């Protein structure tokens, strides 16, 4: 009891603060390392909400489009659409496939950009609001968890990459036919000799697994690292006091936070672009015959 009173009076330590902010709001505590019965409610909520927001703005842009002089919003959307379409044309050469792939790539870019951009919010803002809402509902506010960057959740990024894998498998079958794709699995890349079939099949499976894992891990790793750096910078501000060291840390918090936020704008945009481009590349590879 004395220890709990001390923590409540003096606040969490730096380690406890970081661990709390890196803990998901889940339906129950995982029983082991891999537990598919666990759902991260916070990641699901923010990803769904931002997906709806992305679709709304794209729908609004399409509805408000005019043939005359475009407004700023329409011009920005048109530039984005043209950029995605030009990338899709250079990678996916099937015009029929691009009718689905280009809007898919646009949705992926905008959605992931919005999810990444949640990292620019003050790290304690939305968790603080949730803490008080959660406490007002009759729960213990000290144990209210809320992570607001869905792409810093490995289950979310791997879910996105697995979705891309399923689309690639679909186009492999659609473009090459089931028989043609199965033939490719066993005859590429080393040749059609029966002794090479097991090695060809193994290499194909390794390629699919490696592309899927790296696709999701790349986005997760960059966003998780960015989230962690923001938490470390927040600790500098939390150490403010009316001493030379405390004032110095507060000033460092402002300078470092501003610099990292400005630099992070490039990261969140670049990571959304890279994920979109890899999606196009993998789908384009599904159209190519070996």
């Amino acid at each position: 009891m004395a220890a709990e009173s001390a923590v409540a009076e003096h606040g969490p330590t730096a380690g406890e603060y970081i661990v709390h902010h890196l803990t998901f709001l889940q339906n129950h505590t995982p029983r082991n390392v891999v537990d598919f019965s666990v759902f991260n409610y916070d990641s699901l909520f923010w990803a769904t909400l931002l997906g709806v927001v992305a679709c709304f703005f794209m729908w609004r842009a399409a509805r408000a489009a005019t043939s005359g002089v475009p407004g700023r919003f329409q011009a920005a959307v048109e530039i984005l659409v043209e950029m995605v379409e030009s990338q899709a044309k250079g990678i996916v050469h099937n015009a029929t496939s691009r009718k689905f792939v280009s809007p898919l790539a646009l949705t992926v870019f905008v959605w992931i950009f919005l999810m990444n951009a949640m990292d620019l919010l003050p790290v304690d803002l939305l968790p603080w609001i949730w803490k008080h809402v959660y406490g007002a509902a009759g729960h213990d506010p000290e144990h209210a968890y809320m992570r607001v960057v869905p792409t810093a959740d490995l289950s979310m990024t791997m879910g996105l990459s697995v979705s891309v894998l399923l689309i690639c498998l679909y186009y492999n079958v659609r473009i090459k036919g089931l028989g043609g794709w199965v033939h490719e699995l066993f005859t590429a890349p080393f040749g059609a000799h029966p002794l090479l079939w097991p090695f060809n099949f193994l290499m194909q499976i390794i390629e699919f697994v490696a592309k899927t894992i790296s696709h999701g891990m790349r986005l997760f790793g960059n966003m998780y690292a960015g989230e962690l750096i923001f938490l470390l910078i927040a600790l500098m501000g939390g150490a403010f006091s009316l001493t030379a060291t405390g004032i110095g840390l507060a000033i460092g918090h402002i300078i470092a936070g501003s610099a990292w936020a400005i630099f992070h704008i490039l990261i969140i945009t670049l990571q959304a672009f890279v994920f979109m481009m890899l999606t196009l590349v993998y789908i384009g590879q599904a159209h190519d015959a070996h």
Side-chain angles (χ1 to χ4, degrees), residues 77-94:
V77 173
E78 287 180 354
I79 292 173
L80 180 60
V81 171
E82 290 176 1
M83 181 272 293
V84 174
E85 181 65 25
S86 65
Q87 297 296 334
K89 284 183 179 179
I91 298 172
V92 181
H93 304 295
N94 188 307

Side-chain angles (χ1 to χ4, degrees), residues 230-255:
F230 273 122
L231 290 175
L232 295 174
I233 293 174
L235 286 172
M236 297 173 62
F240 170 75
S241 62
L242 295 177
T243 63
T245 302
I247 294 174
L249 288 172
I251 295 175
H253 161 77
I254 296 173
I255 296 174

Side-chain angles (χ1 to χ4, degrees), residues 244-269:
T245 302
I247 294 174
L249 288 172
I251 295 175
H253 161 77
I254 296 173
I255 296 174
S258 301
W260 179 245
I262 294 171
F263 177 71
H264 206 58
I265 294 174
L266 173 63
I267 295 177
I268 63 178
T269 306

Side-chain angles (χ1 to χ4, degrees), residues 72-249:
R72 294 180 181 178
F73 179 65
Q74 181 181 338
V77 173
E78 287 180 354
I79 292 173
L80 180 60
V81 171
E82 290 176 1
M83 181 272 293
V84 174
E85 181 65 25
S86 65
Q87 297 296 334
K89 284 183 179 179
I91 298 172
V92 181
H93 304 295
N94 188 307
T96 302
S97 297
R98 283 202 306 272
K99 292 180 180 179
F100 171 78
V101 174
S102 294
L104 171 68
L106 177 64
T107 303
V108 166
F109 177 81
V110 175
W111 190 23
I112 293 180
F113 175 81
L114 291 178
M115 289 192 289
N116 291 350
M118 295 294 287
D119 216 4
L120 296 176
L121 294 176
V123 296
D124 285 306
L125 177 60
L126 293 179
W128 180 86
I129 295 173
W130 170 244
K131 175 179 177 179
H132 286 76
V133 171
Y134 194 69
H139 302 284
D140 182 2
E142 297 300 327
H143 300 285
Y145 300 112
M146 175 58 67
R147 291 188 66 177
V148 300
V149 187
T151 46
D153 179 357
L154 183 59
S155 63
M156 292 297 300
T157 59
M158 289 305 299
L160 291 170
S161 64
V162 169
S163 299
V164 172
L165 171 64
L166 295 177
I167 295 173
C168 291
L169 296 179
Y170 165 76
Y171 275 109
N172 269 297
V173 175
R174 178 177 177 179
I175 300 299
K176 305 166 187 175
L178 181 59
W181 180 51
V182 171
H183 179 267
E184 182 179 276
L185 286 176
F186 287 92
T187 59
F190 300 125
H193 194 283
L195 292 178
L196 297 176
W197 289 355
F199 302 101
N200 289 327
F201 182 75
L202 180 62
M203 288 298 297
Q204 290 277 353
I205 297 302
I206 291 175
E207 180 182 354
F208 280 121
V209 172
K211 289 192 299 187
T212 302
I213 293 177
S214 63
H215 200 193
M217 288 291 292
R218 179 182 290 105
L219 178 59
F220 161 75
N222 282 278
M223 298 314 302
Y224 182 85
E227 183 182 34
L228 190 57
I229 291 176
F230 273 122
L231 290 175
L232 295 174
I233 293 174
L235 286 172
M236 297 173 62
F240 170 75
S241 62
L242 295 177
T243 63
T245 302
I247 294 174
L249 288 172

